[in-house]
Amino acid sequence: MANKFRGAMPGGFNMNQMLKQAQQQMQALQQKQADLAKQEFTYSVGGSAVTITCNGEKVITGINIKPEIIDPEDPEMLSDLILTAVNGVLAQVDAESKKITAGIPGLDNLGKMF
């Protein structure tokens, strides 16, 4: 028995059109992810005493620590500053990733995956 529908289903549902739209959305997402990967994000704490830089793939590309804040008597302070800066820059990447997926219908919850 031959398929009479050729992509169109009863009630006006067109499977081919739906697949085409999904493919377009996936291509748009991939392009936006590539653009995000090229972006650079920077976060500073302690009056720029510690600055962390990373790219959109969450790879840390730079750490700058001002020598005057290094206190051998208080290494925990430096550790806290570094942790705060790293978490801050990664949060920036997450926020930008959410913006990207928010613009593509049906993909707005995928930002957690990237």
Side-chain angles (χ1 to χ4, degrees), residues 48-106:
S48 297
V50 174
T51 302
I52 304 291
T53 305
C54 80
N55 63 27
E57 294 179 319
K58 295 184 178 181
V59 174
I60 303 296
T61 58
I63 299 174
N64 186 22
I65 301 170
K66 289 186 177 178
E68 59 268 18
I69 67 143
I70 299 173
D71 180 359
E73 301 295 321
D74 191 8
E76 286 99 23
M77 181 197 63
L78 181 57
S79 294
D80 289 344
L81 289 172
I82 293 170
L83 283 173
T84 301
V86 168
N87 288 331
V89 77
L90 294 177
Q92 287 180 341
V93 177
D94 287 342
E96 189 64 26
S97 180
K98 285 180 184 177
K99 286 182 197 175
I100 287 172
T101 57
I104 302 174

Side-chain angles (χ1 to χ4, degrees), residues 26-42:
M26 187 57 97
Q27 288 172 342
L29 177 62
Q30 289 171 341
Q31 180 59 51
K32 289 181 179 190
Q33 286 174 326
D35 293 343
L36 176 66
K38 295 176 191 172
Q39 289 184 31
E40 185 174 273
F41 299 84
T42 301

